[in-house]
Amino acid sequence: MPATSFDAVVIGAGFAGLYMLHRLRGLGLTARLFETGEGVGGTWYWNRYPGARCDVESVEYSYSFSEELQQAWDWRERYPAQPDILRYAEHVADRFDLRRDIRFRTRVTRAAHDGAAARWRVETDRGDRVSARFLITAVGCLSEARVPGFPGAGSFAGESHHTGRWPHEEVDFTGKRVAVIGTGSSGIQIIPVLARRAAHVTVFQRTPNFTIPAWNRPMPPEHARWVKDNYADIRRTMRGSLFGIAAEFNPGSALEASEQERRAELETRWAHGGPGFLGAFSDIAVDARANEMVADFVREKIRKTVEDPRVAEMLSPRDHPIGTKRPCFDTDYYATFNRPDVTLVDVREAPIEEITPTGVRTSAASYEVDTIVYATGYDAITGPLLAIDITGTGGTTLRAKWAASPHTYLGLMTAGFPNLFTITGPGSPCVLSNMFVSIEQHVDWIAGCLSHLAETGATVIEAGRDAEDAWMRHVGEVAGQTLYPLADSWYLGANVPGKPRVFMPYAGGVGAYRDICDEIAAKGYEGFVLSA
Ligand code: NA7
């Protein structure tokens, strides 16, 4: 008889779930991990589209918890490609012998808290019925793929794929006419690669995004050596930073710099590429005029790169401040639109009305294509949590509690749902950070919390309602001091019709956030209610 009773159930075998499982084992706790996919890797298991690559530097997009692991693993490029990240996840799963506690191809469908027994009762789509004292979600922030409900989508005669649900078999684009719908990070990565493979690519753009060159390159061996020798310092910088990356942030103001100084700083950072570009000045995220100067610089680069001025203007974002939507980092994105076999279509002017058996019809024209790529994004942050039917104390469901907006204490727990931990949940820095930094911080904090419960004889921990209300007010106030709420972004659910418009991540920075979490723990888990 397989075991059905555990200390903890973990949902998701991405980097959060893998590390959580490892820490639970270290605490001597029994655990079962359920994963929908057939393998480990989470985001990197699902996002297999051509050109899929992380836009955080590889040496920073990795675990820090094991010195042996970080010394043993060699990254091949400045930014890791999806197959390399997946290999890394598999290596970690094997190295720490994690697979024996994972049930693959199994989706958790329901979880209900049984108050009398102080246990979570968990059900899966394969008929599992298990119970655990602790339920820990490691479901990722961008795992609930979203295809807009275009009429006729089912009638399309060719292949169609969402970037986040890409098939495991090679999709052949040779000689094909391809439609790409969406120009977020995924669209921006796949479009230049498809342009080189397909006969013709038609890009359906609703909103142009700012994208900065990544300047990916093979990892120079001397840099890899230097990183390994200096990992302790690099990790310290990342942990104390705003976004969990080691790039240097200039504390100076764009407004106070002279025109010449400003240009020099931006040119240097453009030439370096990657996420450090937005660290050019300290006021980019908070001052509209400073932001506009940087946005203007990028629009100028677009005009210099894209030969057709009409296309350059179509690609130039003007409806949101730079950095208020998830910044994109690209390889050859703007230059791709100089190719004769790439067409840009503005679907803000003329929206997509239907998918026909032979292509895409907008209100202005029809486009015949063989393959459709949906790079249309995700029901972010709350979507993966609310996809599970979770019931807490007194029959209250998470869906009902969060109907108007997600409500958490530190993004880690939510009142009325005892012993439920949400790794990188709403109200934590989550997507505003290098996910590895946020994942490790949450997992370590949860592990510390579980040890504390064991040491003090408590069996149940729950977020206090007052602490939770105060935290959500704080999350809202911090976001209100920035320009983030000005964009219709998935950070605030604007991409999902009917989703409450609330800025979900904590914008105070991973360093400040870590200090708050640590202080709360040091004060005996202030704001949480602990009971035997
Ligand atoms: P994003 O960033 O949410 O991008 C989705 C894109 O799809 C975006 O350009 C959307 O336009 C577009 N979209 C969505 N619905 C439609 C409809 N109905 N018609 C036309 N265009 C549409 O998702 P990604 O997968 O690119 O990136 C997700 C994150 O993964 C990324 O930020 C990294 O963190 C990794 P819109 O801007 O809404 O007008």
Side-chain angles (χ1 to χ4, degrees):
M1 266 295 276
T4 55
S5 175
F6 304 94
D7 292 317
V9 160
V10 180
I11 310 174
F15 287 113
L18 293 179
Y19 182 39
M20 191 73 244
L21 180 56
H22 177 64
R23 290 299 313 263
L24 288 166
R25 288 223 192 118
L27 294 171
L29 299 175
T30 57
R32 164 72 73 243
L33 191 155
F34 292 110
E35 163 60 49
T36 308
E38 290 183 12
V40 298
T43 290
W44 305 103
Y45 171 87
W46 298 104
N47 279 264
R48 295 165 182 260
Y49 60 86
R53 186 180 290 284
C54 184
D55 45 28
V56 173
E57 301 214 8
S58 51
V59 294
E60 299 176 18
Y61 194 77
S62 57
Y63 287 121
S64 70
F65 72 84
S66 162
E67 179 61 11
E68 294 76 27
L69 171 65
Q70 68 182 8
Q71 290 300 329
W73 188 262
D74 293 318
W75 293 104
R76 303 195 299 186
E77 295 177 278
R78 178 176 177 188
Y79 305 92
Q82 176 269 338
D84 285 345
I85 308 175
L86 194 56
R87 256 197 300 279
Y88 177 70
E90 286 166 354
H91 172 83
V92 169
D94 293 335
R95 189 180 185 100
F96 298 99
D97 188 22
L98 299 175
R99 294 180 204 266
R100 62 187 155 90
D101 289 326
I102 305 178
R103 291 293 168 270
F104 292 104
R105 292 183 293 280
T106 310
R107 175 185 283 277
V108 171
T109 50
R110 292 194 67 227
H113 192 253
D114 173 346
R119 294 185 78 76
W120 281 95
R121 310 226 174 259
V122 178
E123 298 177 15
T124 75
D125 63 351
R126 288 173 54 121
D128 301 271
R129 299 284 182 275
V130 304
S131 79
R133 278 171 59 210
F134 302 103
L135 177 63
I136 306 175
T137 64
V139 289
C141 295
L142 294 161
S143 50
E144 199 59 23
R146 226 194 122 253
V147 175
F150 296 122
S155 74
F156 183 61
E159 276 188 73
S160 58
H161 303 292
H162 187 283
T163 48
R165 289 286 177 275
W166 203 260
H168 286 218
E169 312 74 48
E170 173 94 22
V171 180
D172 187 8
F173 288 98
T174 320
K176 298 275 172 67
R177 297 162 303 170
V178 183
V180 179
I181 303 175
T183 53
S185 298
S186 306
I188 282 172
Q189 288 192 336
I190 198 173
I191 288 163
V193 180
L194 294 189
R196 291 195 292 272
R197 291 188 193 168
H200 194 98
V201 176
T202 307
V203 176
F204 294 85
Q205 170 191 271
R206 189 165 64 183
T207 317
N209 264 300
F210 292 97
T211 168
I212 312 300
W215 305 130
N216 186 42
R217 58 170 184 268
M219 177 74 68
E222 61 282 5
H223 182 65
R225 184 69 264 148
W226 179 86
V227 167
K228 287 189 180 182
D229 289 346
N230 291 277
Y231 248 137
D233 287 343
I234 294 169
R235 301 293 195 192
R236 199 173 310 116
T237 305
M238 289 163 62
R239 288 189 195 114
S241 69
L242 267 175
F243 300 109
I245 57 174
E248 222 171 275
F249 273 60
N250 174 10
S253 148
L255 294 177
E256 286 165 18
S258 69
E259 166 67 26
Q260 204 184 5
E261 287 164 345
R262 201 163 44 238
R263 181 159 286 279
E265 183 71 25
L266 291 172
E267 288 289 3
T268 305
R269 286 181 185 257
W270 186 269
H272 184 69
F277 179 79
L278 289 171
F281 298 103
S282 61
D283 41 8
I284 296 176
V286 292
D287 187 291
R289 278 190 309 143
N291 188 289
E292 187 58 13
M293 288 169 171
V294 179
D296 250 345
F297 175 88
V298 177
R299 287 190 288 255
E300 187 186 309
K301 291 286 186 196
I302 299 172
R303 286 194 295 275
K304 279 191 181 144
T305 312
V306 179
E307 288 154 10
D308 181 339
R310 193 188 58 90
V311 176
E313 184 50 34
M314 281 168 76
L315 289 167
S316 297
R318 298 198 183 269
D319 74 323
H320 64 279
I322 187 166
T324 54
K325 284 186 155 191
R326 173 65 158 72
C328 305
F329 306 98
D330 70 276
T331 299
D332 295 337
Y333 181 65
Y334 293 126
T336 295
F337 291 90
N338 293 332
R339 296 176 65 111
D341 49 8
V342 175
T343 309
L344 182 63
V345 174
D346 179 356
V347 293
R348 167 107 27 219
E349 284 267 294
I352 296 171
E353 293 199 328
E354 66 167 334
I355 307 294
T356 67
T358 55
V360 179
R361 190 175 65 74
T362 71
S363 61
S366 287
Y367 301 85
E368 303 259 300
V369 294
D370 305 302
T371 309
I372 299 178
V373 173
Y374 291 103
T376 44
Y378 298 86
D379 181 352
I381 308 174
T382 48
L385 291 165
L386 297 178
I388 307 166
D389 180 10
I390 301 178
T391 307
T393 311
T396 305
T397 65
L398 194 62
R399 289 173 189 157
K401 184 181 173 190
W402 287 4
S405 67
H407 227 61
T408 69
Y409 184 29
L410 301 175
L412 272 160
M413 298 197 89
T414 184
F417 296 79
N419 288 0
L420 167 67
F421 295 95
T422 50
I423 301 175
T424 65
S428 76
C430 57
V431 292
L432 292 186
S433 69
N434 171 356
M435 292 307 290
F436 262 96
V437 174
S438 287
I439 284 169
E440 284 195 326
Q441 185 248 334
H442 267 188
V443 170
D444 289 341
W445 192 93
I446 293 167
C449 176
L450 298 186
S451 299
H452 177 83
L453 296 183
E455 283 157 19
T456 56
T459 54
V460 179
I461 179 166
E462 186 179 339
R465 291 194 189 265
D466 291 347
E468 181 168 296
D469 289 345
W471 179 251
M472 293 321 292
R473 272 197 305 280
H474 178 59
V475 170
E477 280 160 14
V478 173
Q481 290 159 15
T482 71
L483 302 175
Y484 283 120
L486 298 180
D488 284 334
S489 69
W490 53 257
Y491 291 153
L492 38 72
N495 62 327
V496 180
K499 192 166 173 174
R501 194 185 165 99
V502 177
F503 191 77
M504 294 180 279
Y506 177 58
V510 299
Y513 173 77
R514 175 187 300 269
D515 290 345
I516 294 168
C517 292
D518 288 350
E519 197 182 320
I520 284 169
K523 288 184 179 162
Y525 294 85
E526 191 178 46
F528 290 94
V529 182
L530 280 68
S531 51

